[in-house]
């Protein structure tokens, strides 16, 4: 059976909603705004590299002022960035930033697309970026996105002509878009997507430039602007009660993990677009100049426009339901048209508009939050018609057409119909981010072809409400969700998740053995259904041993857990590897752990990852016992230090004083603390005096932007954007006799092997002569940076500033990073 387009479309390019968020209940003003969107047949694609690269002001302008169908193609999911709201990094951070982008698009009215490119960290040049990404594969994804979305206008965020002047990912995004513009209309290029989506040729390619790209406002004022379009993006939208600048700031503020909270602006704003390719517009204030964006664009569309344009011009704010008969007539005509691209898009929009005008509410709620693959579950349905129009619920089916046990029901005005049905899931695959299901490479995620480009995994279970309204029949697809009542928040929606019958996890992801002593390893087993029993074994590296070999468990209820403790003996010599719990239920094995991500600004996320923990037997010595830790933007350094035997005490920023620091052997300051902890502006004197009296302060990296104070050290120190992005870059030891390289551990070149993602970032580039630079390093083609590790004697103690990425290396269990960090906080002991 052919799946109705409304089902398919809701999976691919739905209106700006998200799985299991509160359902939209638009006001008359919002319905009017949506009708304006319906009457514009034009699309724009904005292209950049990362979450937060997009210009939300321009996206909001295109979506809300022009009313264009607008999407942001972010080549990556931002996995290589930093996290200001929690401990998640890498893949889990990519999940958060994906959802933040979706939250931003729900705010500004756009849609969200991706490629399979993995944000592997900062890159200084597109040559490096495209080599790691696999240029041909990412280019094929960009071509796919354009052919599938079919934009009339493409806008690049970055300049393709300036390699090496900014992040290599940024320039690469523009270069790939520039190249794809000429490929998408050629059926001989990337044949598979040409056959699947057809070829397409956008009208024009533009570059969203500004004075910043010219070097200064003065240079921009004096520049040749003959190829520039200028658009007014500061308009006010009465139907929404917000200016474009206010919407843009609300959208940008969704990027909370990156600290991009933004204040709204009101008043005129001008955005500049440089013409790159295609047809140059006659009207340089209109990106869609020369493009037919009316209903006459599609064959048979003029008759539809004759119905819908008057509805917008004479919108019935008091009773939108009075427009339903005309909307239904337009819907019937739309089904007769031949332009499948716009027919599919506008059918979805028009069907939703009919529901909104009629106050028709449909919902399918699972009795449980999680189900197992191919499991049976009960669903409660609600359907209500709050208009005077005749609405009949003919049937409810699953996506594959299987009818549910629901009787024909006339939905009388404001009388709801509620009923239940049991569904057997046909899903064999568990839920979770599809791009994490299979192992990828450093630069590319592994994704099924039919999911490439989608922002998230489609909801695992949907049903179709078949409504007869007047003479028209509308198949309306709804995701099955889970909801519950919270005593504080009230009605809370979450995605329905398909999860395994059992998962297992080890809480500590890196376990350090500083000597040969046996350690207890707790393995937590979680039930994914009622009444399960089985056994667990712990697989260990060669030379290691676990006792007992297996353990059994019995769990009575879903989500119940049991903790089994294995005694792990390390190898006799320094070594590292992974331990992996394996759960057996009958003749089936399970090797995944369940990670949940729960923040207020994004939907609840369940992520399945390989269940494992890194173990390392280190040859490591340390001095001192008690470490004070001042938290910054969030890292796992305290837990890492506890792994090698330190006692770590968190020091509240407002409690920093000479007295509170006196008993610590060293004080470590977390990453970006001087960017995110306002109290440090007033704590530097106490920190300096602590050092002066014999203490050690170790400050980890900060950015030069938005420092709470420039006095971050007892001596002058200037931060820069210098970094070494190649984790394999050669490290030169500048001061081989310095104590931090010799006591209590001898640091050698081998200690810089197997680092991850980068060497370090935001190194100082100027410092007082009191500082001694310890290490030199550089990326290919760059000059040597000596600011990665600076040590200064101050009074009786030591002040250390480092941009080395310990916040990545210690949680990754890099032995040499542990040995060096132990030396830094042992100095002077």
């Amino acid at each position: 059976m052919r799946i109705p387009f409304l089902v398919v479309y809701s999976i691919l390019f739905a209106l700006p909603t998200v799985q299991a968020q509160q359902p939209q209940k638009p006001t008359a003003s919002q319905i009017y705004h949506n009708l304006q969107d319906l009457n514009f047949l034009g699309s724009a694609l904005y292209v950049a590299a990362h979450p937060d690269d997009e210009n939300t002001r321009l996206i909001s302008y295109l979506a809300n002022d022009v009313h264009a169908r607008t999407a942001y193609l972010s080549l990556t999911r931002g996995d290589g960035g930093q996290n200001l709201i929690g401990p998640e990094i890498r893949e889990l951070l990519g999940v958060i930033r994906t959802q933040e982008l979706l939250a931003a698009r729900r705010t500004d009215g756009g849609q969200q697309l991706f490629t399979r490119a993995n944000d592997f960290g900062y890159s200084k040049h597109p040559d490096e970026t495209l080599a790691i990404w696999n240029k041909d594969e990412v280019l094929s994804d960009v071509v796919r996105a354009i052919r599938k979305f079919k934009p009339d206008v493409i806008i690049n965020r970055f300049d393709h002509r300036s390699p090496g002047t900014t992040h290599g990912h940024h320039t690469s995004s523009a270069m790939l878009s520039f190249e794809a513009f000429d490929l998408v209309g050629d059926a001989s290029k990337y044949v598979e997507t040409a056959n699947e989506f057809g070829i397409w040729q956008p009208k024009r390619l533009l570059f969203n430039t500004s004075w910043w790209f010219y070097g200064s406002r003065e240079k921009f004022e004096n520049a040749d602007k003959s190829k520039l379009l200028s658009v007014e993006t500061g308009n006010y939208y009465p139907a929404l009660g917000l200016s474009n600048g206010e919407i843009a700031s609300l959208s940008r503020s969704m990027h909370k993990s990156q600290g991009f909270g933004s204040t709204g602006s009101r008043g005129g704003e001008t955005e500049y677009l440089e013409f790159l390719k295609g047809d140059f517009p006659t009207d340089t204030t209109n990106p869609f100049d020369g493009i037919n964006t009316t209903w006459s664009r599609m064959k048979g569309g003029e008759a539809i426009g004759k119905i819908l344009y008057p509805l917008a011009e004479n919108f019935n704010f008091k009773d939108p339901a009075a427009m339903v008969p005309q909307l239904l007539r337009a819907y019937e005509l739309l089904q007769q048209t031949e332009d499948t691209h716009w027919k599919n898009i506008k059918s979805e929009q028009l069907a939703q508009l009919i529901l909104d005008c009629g106050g028709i509410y449909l919902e399918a709620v699972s009795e449980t939050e999680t189900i197992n693959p191919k499991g049976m579950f009960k669903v409660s349905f609600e359907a209500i018609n709050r208009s005077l129009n005749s609405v009949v619920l003919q049937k409810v089916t699953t996506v594959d057409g299987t009818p549910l046990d629901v009787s024909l029901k006339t939905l009388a005005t404001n009388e709801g119909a509620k009923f239940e049905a049991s569904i057997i899931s046909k899903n064999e695959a568990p839920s979770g981010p599809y791009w994490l299901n299979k192992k990828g490479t450093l630069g590319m995620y592994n994704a099924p072809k039919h999911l490439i480009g989608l922002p998230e995994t489609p909801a695992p279970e949907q049903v179709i409400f078949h409504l007869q309204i007047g003479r028209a029949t509308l198949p309306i697809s709804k995701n099955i969700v889970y909801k519950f009542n919270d005593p504080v928040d009230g009605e809370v929606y979450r995605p329905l998740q398909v999860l395994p019958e059992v998962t297992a996890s080890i809480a500590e992801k890196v376990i350090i053995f500083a000597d040969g002593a046996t350690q207890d390893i707790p393995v937590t087993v979680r039930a994914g259904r009622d009444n399960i029993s089985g056994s667990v074994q712990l697989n260990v590296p060669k030379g290691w041993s676990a006792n007992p070999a297996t353990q059994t468990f019995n769990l009575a209820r879903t989500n119940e857990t049991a903790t089994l403790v294995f005694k792990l003996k390390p190898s006799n010599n320094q070594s590292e590897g992974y331990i992996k719990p394996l759960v057996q239920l009958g003749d089936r094995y399970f090797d995944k752990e369940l990670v949940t991500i729960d923040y207020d600004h994004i939907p609840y996320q369940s992520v399945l990852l390989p269940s494992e923990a890194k173990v390392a037997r280190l040859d490591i010595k340390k001095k001192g016992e008690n470490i004070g830790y001042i938290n910054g933007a969030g890292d796992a350094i305290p837990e890492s230090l506890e792994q090698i035997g330190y006692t770590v005490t968190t020091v509240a920023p407002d409690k920093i004083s000479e007295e509170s620091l006196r008993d610590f052997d060293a004080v470590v300051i977390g990453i970006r603390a001087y960017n995110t902890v306002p109290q440090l502006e007033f704590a530097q004197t106490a920190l300096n005096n602590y050092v002066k009296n014999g203490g050690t302060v170790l400050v980890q990296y900060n950015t030069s932007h938005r420092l709470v104070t420039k006095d971050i050290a007892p001596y002058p120190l200037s931060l820069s954007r210098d970094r070494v992005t190649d984790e394999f870059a050669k490290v030169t030891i500048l001061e081989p006799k310095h104590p931090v390289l010799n006591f209590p551990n001898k640091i050698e070149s081998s200690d810089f092997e197997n680092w991850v993602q980068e060497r370090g970032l935001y190194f100082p580039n100027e410092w007082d002569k009191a500082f001694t630079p310890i290490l030199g390093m550089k990326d290919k083609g760059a000059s040597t940076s000596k600011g990665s590790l600076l040590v200064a004697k101050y009074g009786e103690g030591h002040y250390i500033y480092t941009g080395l990425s310990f916040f990545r290396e210690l949680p990754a269990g890099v032995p040499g990073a542990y040995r060096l960090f132990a030396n830094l906080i042992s100095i002077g002991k």
Side-chain angles (χ1 to χ4, degrees):
M1 177 179 178
R2 184 177 181 272
I3 297 174
F5 174 76
L6 288 175
V7 178
V8 179
Y9 185 82
S10 68
I11 296 173
L12 302 182
F13 290 117
L15 293 173
T17 60
V18 75
Q19 293 176 21
Q21 287 290 86
Q22 290 280 352
Q24 288 189 324
K25 300 169 185 176
T27 66
S29 292
Q30 291 168 326
I31 293 172
Y32 169 66
H33 186 81
N34 294 339
L35 178 56
Q36 291 177 302
D37 292 346
L38 177 67
N39 283 336
F40 189 93
L41 280 70
S43 302
L45 182 67
Y46 198 88
V47 181
H50 310 108
D52 73 45
D53 281 347
E54 81 274 27
N55 183 342
T56 56
R57 187 165 56 243
L58 189 57
I59 289 176
S60 177
Y61 158 79
L62 291 166
N64 298 301
D65 198 320
V66 178
H67 295 285
R69 175 172 165 264
T70 305
Y72 172 40
L73 174 60
S74 176
L75 268 59
T76 77
R77 296 177 184 269
D79 325 75
Q82 286 79 50
N83 185 0
L84 289 183
I85 61 173
E88 298 89 354
I89 57 175
R90 289 304 305 150
E91 291 85 358
L92 293 178
L93 176 58
V95 174
I96 291 173
R97 298 190 73 186
T98 293
Q99 291 299 325
E100 288 180 336
L101 269 179
L102 287 168
R105 298 295 79 77
R106 291 193 298 274
T107 303
D108 59 34
Q111 299 175 22
Q112 187 59 52
L113 307 174
F114 289 97
T115 73
R116 289 170 292 166
N118 188 345
D119 178 4
F120 55 84
Y122 192 88
S123 175
K124 291 183 175 179
H125 200 280
D127 288 350
E128 177 196 36
T129 298
L130 296 174
I132 294 175
W133 273 355
N134 186 333
K135 177 188 174 184
D136 186 65
E137 288 296 305
V138 182
L139 180 58
S140 75
D141 288 359
V142 176
V143 170
R144 166 188 284 265
I146 296 171
R147 284 174 171 167
K148 188 175 183 180
F149 190 73
K150 293 180 170 48
D152 300 299
V153 177
I154 298 177
I155 303 173
N156 290 346
R157 180 55 172 149
F158 299 104
D159 187 1
H160 67 285
R161 298 158 295 195
S162 54
T165 61
T166 183
H167 198 321
H169 297 181
H170 292 171
T171 310
S172 295
S173 71
M175 292 168 64
L176 292 170
S177 175
F178 189 84
E179 187 172 349
F181 187 88
D182 294 328
L183 298 176
V184 291
D186 186 344
S188 68
K189 307 297 184 183
Y190 300 103
V191 176
E192 187 174 352
T193 57
N195 292 336
E196 185 175 0
F197 305 112
I199 60 173
W200 180 253
Q201 188 55 58
K203 187 75 168 179
R204 57 185 59 101
L205 176 66
L206 307 170
F207 161 43
N208 184 196
T209 190
S210 69
W211 68 264
W212 188 88
F213 290 97
Y214 287 77
S216 69
R217 294 183 186 275
E218 181 180 5
K219 289 181 180 179
F220 179 67
E221 290 299 324
N222 295 329
D224 177 12
K225 297 185 177 60
S226 60
K227 288 190 175 183
L228 292 189
L229 286 71
S230 61
V231 294
E232 172 54 47
T233 60
N235 292 334
Y236 173 69
Y237 310 129
L240 303 179
L242 294 166
S243 70
N244 192 70
E246 289 171 318
I247 294 174
S249 69
L250 291 171
S251 173
R252 190 151 187 80
S253 295
M254 290 296 108
H255 296 296
K256 298 184 188 300
S257 66
Q258 303 303 292
F260 282 146
S262 176
T263 300
S265 63
R266 290 151 291 280
E269 298 270 6
T270 302
E271 287 288 335
Y272 293 94
L273 304 170
E274 180 185 349
F275 173 79
L276 298 178
K277 283 185 180 181
D279 293 340
F280 190 80
T282 302
D283 180 359
T284 56
T285 66
N286 179 10
F288 284 88
D289 181 61
I291 301 168
N292 184 1
T293 58
T294 71
W295 278 103
S296 65
R297 177 172 191 163
M298 57 188 299
K299 185 178 179 180
E302 289 188 11
I304 299 170
K306 287 180 180 179
I307 297 173
L308 296 179
Y309 289 134
L311 292 182
E313 292 169 3
N314 304 286
F315 189 82
N316 190 337
F317 287 93
K318 289 185 178 181
D319 185 16
M323 300 185 295
V324 168
Q326 295 99 311
L327 295 175
L328 288 169
R329 177 57 183 155
Y331 184 84
E332 291 173 345
L333 292 174
L334 183 56
Q335 305 319 300
Q336 300 168 19
T337 59
E338 299 175 0
D339 185 335
T340 56
H341 174 67
W342 283 111
K343 173 184 175 180
N344 292 341
I345 293 167
K346 294 305 176 181
S347 291
E348 175 73 14
Q349 289 180 285
L350 187 48
Q352 186 61 50
L353 198 66
I354 292 168
L355 298 185
D356 293 340
C357 285
I360 300 170
Y361 182 81
L362 306 171
E363 185 174 81
V365 177
S366 170
E367 184 179 60
T368 61
E369 184 175 0
T370 64
I371 60 174
N372 298 137
K374 292 191 160 184
M376 177 180 285
F377 62 108
K378 185 179 291 185
V379 179
S380 298
F381 300 90
E382 179 182 357
I384 187 169
N385 165 33
R386 291 169 287 188
S387 74
L388 298 177
N389 295 292
S390 173
V391 179
V392 177
L393 176 61
Q394 295 179 326
K395 59 182 177 178
V396 180
T397 66
T398 59
V399 170
D400 65 1
T402 303
L404 300 177
D405 187 16
V406 176
S407 302
L408 181 75
K409 176 72 174 179
T410 298
L411 300 180
T413 302
N414 214 29
E415 289 185 10
K418 294 186 178 181
F419 43 90
E420 294 182 344
S422 293
I423 297 177
I424 299 176
S425 173
K426 291 183 170 59
N427 268 292
E428 296 187 32
S431 301
Y434 68 85
W435 60 95
L436 298 180
N437 286 342
K438 291 185 178 180
K439 186 175 179 63
T441 65
L442 173 63
M444 295 291 293
Y445 280 120
N446 190 339
K449 287 183 179 179
H450 70 287
L451 297 178
I452 292 173
L454 297 187
E456 59 185 341
T457 306
E461 300 290 338
Q462 298 117 3
V463 292
I464 305 169
F465 291 81
H466 297 262
L467 299 180
Q468 181 179 336
I469 309 176
R471 296 182 307 173
T473 299
L474 278 66
I476 306 296
S477 173
K478 285 289 181 181
N479 295 335
I480 300 177
V481 298
Y482 173 74
K483 74 174 180 180
F484 62 94
N485 185 73
D486 182 89
V488 175
D489 296 326
E491 192 175 51
V492 176
Y493 286 77
R494 283 186 177 177
L496 173 66
Q497 301 284 329
V498 180
L499 296 176
E501 294 173 65
V502 64
T503 55
S505 62
I506 300 172
E508 298 294 338
K509 298 309 174 191
V510 174
I511 304 170
I512 303 299
F513 290 73
D515 53 37
T518 296
Q519 290 191 36
D520 288 346
I521 306 298
V523 175
T524 299
V525 181
R526 173 196 168 276
R529 63 169 173 83
D530 293 345
N531 301 317
I532 63 169
S533 60
S535 63
V536 182
Q537 68 185 58
L538 188 63
N539 295 333
V540 301
K542 184 178 180 180
W544 297 59
S545 62
N547 186 42
T550 63
Q551 298 190 59
T552 60
F553 66 89
N554 292 280
L555 297 170
R557 301 292 300 273
T558 301
N559 290 326
E560 185 180 349
T561 61
T563 299
L564 311 176
V565 178
F566 292 84
K567 293 189 177 297
L568 182 63
K569 182 174 178 56
S571 60
N572 293 327
N573 301 313
Q574 180 165 308
S575 67
E576 56 186 293
Y578 289 88
I579 55 174
K580 302 178 180 183
L582 185 64
V583 183
Q584 183 175 2
L585 298 182
D587 60 354
R588 293 174 298 149
Y589 293 88
F590 299 82
D591 60 358
K592 293 291 192 293
E593 74 164 306
L594 176 64
V595 179
T596 59
I597 299 174
D598 190 8
Y599 291 103
D600 289 342
H601 66 298
I602 60 175
Y604 187 86
Q605 299 290 300
S606 295
V607 184
L608 291 169
L609 296 174
S611 184
E612 62 184 18
K614 184 175 182 178
V615 291
R617 165 74 164 92
L618 302 186
D619 178 15
I620 187 170
K621 303 178 181 66
K622 65 182 183 63
K623 292 294 181 179
E625 298 294 334
N626 298 312
I627 306 299
Y629 203 86
I630 300 170
N631 286 321
D635 56 54
I637 298 295
E639 296 85 344
S640 300
L641 296 179
E642 289 171 347
Q643 289 271 353
I644 56 175
Y646 282 107
T647 298
V648 182
T649 302
T650 300
V651 181
D654 57 355
K655 301 297 183 183
I656 298 173
S657 66
E658 292 181 54
E659 183 177 354
S660 69
L661 304 179
R662 183 177 300 150
D663 295 330
F664 293 123
D665 295 307
V667 173
V668 180
I669 300 180
I671 61 171
R672 295 178 69 174
Y674 284 96
N675 300 124
T676 59
V677 182
Q679 295 93 329
L680 286 180
E681 179 182 1
F682 312 104
Q684 200 59 43
T685 299
L687 289 166
N688 289 347
N689 286 338
Y690 164 75
V691 175
K692 191 174 183 179
N693 293 327
T696 297
V697 165
L698 170 58
V699 180
Q700 298 178 86
Y701 95 93
N702 295 271
T703 70
S704 58
H705 183 55
R706 294 183 179 177
L707 286 168
V708 299
T709 175
K710 293 184 178 180
D711 298 322
I712 63 174
Y715 303 110
L717 180 73
S718 296
L719 304 182
S720 73
R721 297 184 61 85
D722 291 351
R723 59 173 78 200
V724 175
T725 63
D726 181 0
E727 64 268 40
F728 305 108
K730 180 181 178 181
V731 176
T732 302
I733 295 177
L734 303 176
E735 296 289 335
K737 296 183 179 180
H738 197 282
V740 296
L741 299 178
N742 292 278
F743 179 81
N745 304 288
K746 176 66 175 177
I747 302 300
E748 299 174 326
S749 297
S750 59
D751 288 298
F752 296 97
E753 295 175 358
N754 300 318
W755 283 46
V756 298
Q757 186 159 327
E758 64 205 355
R759 289 295 187 193
L761 62 171
Y762 299 108
F763 299 157
N765 61 350
E766 295 180 4
W767 51 83
D768 189 87
K769 63 181 180 181
F771 286 102
T772 300
I774 304 299
L775 305 172
M777 57 189 69
K778 66 175 184 176
D779 282 320
K780 182 179 178 180
S783 57
T784 299
S785 172
K786 299 181 179 180
S788 64
L789 178 58
L790 303 173
V791 182
K793 193 81 166 62
Y794 182 67
E796 299 299 317
H798 295 84
Y799 175 93
I800 302 170
Y801 189 93
T802 180
L804 293 171
S805 59
F806 286 113
F807 73 102
R808 297 195 192 279
E809 313 311 322
L810 298 193
V814 177
Y818 271 93
R819 287 162 46 82
L820 178 56
F821 205 96
N823 278 18
L824 296 178
I825 54 182
S826 298
I827 192 171
K829 307 297 187 294

